[in-house]
Amino acid sequence: MKKIPVIIDCDPGVDDTAALLLAHQMPELEILAVTTVAGNVSVDKTTINAMRVRKASGAGYPVFSGAEHPMFREPVTASGVHGEDGFGGVEMEIPDDEIPAEKAWDAMYRIAKEQKGELTIVATGPMTNLSIALSKYKELPQLVKRIVIMGGAAIGGNVTPAAEFNIYVDPEAADMLFQSGIPVYMCGLDVTMKAYITPEELEKVGALGSPQAKLFHDVFQNLQKKALEEWEQPGVALHDPVAVMYAADDSIFETHHVGIRVETKGEITLGKTVTDLYSDKQMEHNAYIVMDVDRDAFLKKVMDLMAKY
Ligand code: BDR
Ligand code: CA
């Protein structure tokens, strides 16, 4: 089987950590690079965390660091959710590997050229690195096969009633992506809230016994408490794992070809992903929205992949 060449652009982040642990074991994917961006925490921390996960999973991909702040706005973080260091309070030594001088957007362009139109980019943080790459390299849209993002929602948001975190942090960047001409597959809250893991299921992952399974279990502990007690959810939503899972195999998901743009001017609606999915007023169909997942099949994959460590 020919593997799908991917770059994972992320802001680890506890669910980004889970996504990276899972992606490393997916037989369909070849991770060519991980790029980091400011989002859940500052980019120096997301870069350290990406290197921590690389070390923990025994992977060899390069980690390139990217944007320190959104295109036109002040940074917004989610350290209240992911912990001060973005690693869910898990203590892990900081690897002393050198961070390459090449920036995330330059690596994206170089690798896209090397892959001759076959590259998939999975973005699980704010889309700032992608927007810089698109601004700097005008031919990039012709070089990327597809982009799968975790972000947005046809339904309500999780930062404001209108907006999901990754889009809210850098709405201009996200809108640039939707207008780029690259096929964008949006795994937003519509689907990721259905891809939750219950406390019992998370315990089962931890009980697999490997250090990686323990890491998966441990990073979610604080967030799980919030999800169950504060937000009254049945478990922790595996937001970012959905995007990597979708990139590898979209057969367990329900997808619709739609129009999507991002509200960049509104006060109450800032960062809303506006789609014509529920409207008879049609937009240009520039993107795909992922609305549903077979949760049992998804969880089985999570277990099977983590059992490979
Ligand atoms: C998204 O926001 C971040 O906090 C998570 O890592 C995920 O990418 C969910 O809205
Ligand atoms: Ca993320």
Side-chain angles (χ1 to χ4, degrees):
M1 178 178 64
K2 190 172 170 335
K3 292 194 180 222
I4 302 165
V6 294
I7 292 176
I8 302 177
D9 185 47
C10 58
D11 62 338
V14 304
D15 55 333
D16 303 78
T17 294
L20 291 173
L21 286 169
L22 291 164
H24 177 62
Q25 293 294 355
M26 289 177 186
E28 301 90 346
L29 301 185
E30 182 184 8
I31 306 175
L32 299 178
V34 166
T35 52
T36 56
V37 67
N40 288 320
V41 287
S42 60
V43 73
D44 51 338
K45 292 180 181 170
T46 61
T47 306
I48 286 170
N49 292 341
M51 296 194 306
R52 282 173 160 153
V53 187
R54 171 177 65 184
K55 189 167 185 195
S57 47
Y61 47 71
V63 174
F64 300 97
S65 115
E68 287 171 16
H69 52 76
M71 290 206 94
F72 306 113
R73 296 173 186 274
E74 291 301 312
V76 177
T77 66
S79 52
V81 174
H82 295 260
E84 273 311 311
D85 60 357
F87 216 51
V90 172
E91 306 231 330
M92 189 183 286
E93 212 183 307
I94 299 178
D96 55 11
D97 319 80
E98 251 184 55
I99 302 166
E102 190 178 15
K103 298 307 289 183
W105 41 87
D106 295 328
M108 280 176 179
Y109 173 65
R110 175 180 53 77
I111 294 170
K113 266 204 311 195
E114 286 164 6
Q115 293 304 311
K116 301 185 170 65
E118 289 305 309
L119 180 68
T120 290
I121 299 177
V122 183
T124 64
M127 278 124 245
T128 319
N129 288 340
L130 278 160
S131 64
I132 296 173
L134 286 166
S135 310
K136 192 168 172 186
Y137 301 107
K138 296 297 173 203
E139 67 276 39
L140 188 65
Q142 286 78 55
L143 298 172
V144 177
K145 189 165 191 177
R146 69 174 178 171
I147 296 191
V148 181
I149 66 164
M150 188 287 131
I155 52 164
N158 60 0
V159 180
T160 71
E164 180 280 331
F165 180 80
N166 289 339
I167 308 284
Y168 180 80
V169 171
D170 200 343
E172 285 82 8
D175 199 42
M176 189 185 278
L177 185 60
F178 284 113
Q179 292 192 76
S180 68
I182 305 173
V184 179
Y185 291 74
M186 182 173 108
C187 303
L189 299 174
D190 313 291
V191 62
T192 64
M193 293 304 293
K194 294 173 185 161
Y196 59 85
I197 185 163
T198 65
E200 296 73 32
E201 289 159 347
L202 193 53
E203 285 310 309
K204 275 193 199 155
V205 176
L208 290 168
S210 64
Q212 296 85 357
K214 186 171 173 331
L215 175 59
F216 189 111
H217 169 272
D218 291 355
V219 283
F220 277 119
Q221 289 310 300
N222 293 336
L223 184 54
Q224 169 170 263
K225 207 163 160 2
K226 268 189 192 296
L228 298 178
E229 291 169 16
E230 255 177 65
W231 307 328
E232 298 179 353
Q233 293 165 359
V236 188
L238 296 180
H239 298 294
D240 294 343
V242 168
V244 283
M245 206 78 104
Y246 190 90
D249 174 14
D250 56 18
S251 66
I252 61 169
F253 296 92
E254 178 195 307
T255 310
H256 303 266
H257 194 192
V258 294
I260 305 177
R261 290 288 307 277
V262 179
E263 174 61 79
T264 57
K265 307 263 188 315
E267 201 181 312
I268 303 170
T269 51
L270 183 71
K272 172 78 195 160
T273 43
V274 177
T275 166
D276 58 1
L277 179 69
Y278 296 125
S279 175
D280 58 6
K281 302 288 171 279
Q282 293 294 289
M283 302 158 71
E284 182 202 338
H285 281 186
N286 59 336
Y288 297 82
I289 189 165
V290 185
M291 291 300 291
D292 205 357
V293 61
D294 176 342
R295 195 182 87 88
D296 290 345
F298 178 82
L299 253 293
K300 182 170 179 334
K301 282 186 182 225
V302 170
M303 286 300 295
D304 290 350
L305 289 165
M306 292 311 297
K308 290 169 84 175
Y309 281 106

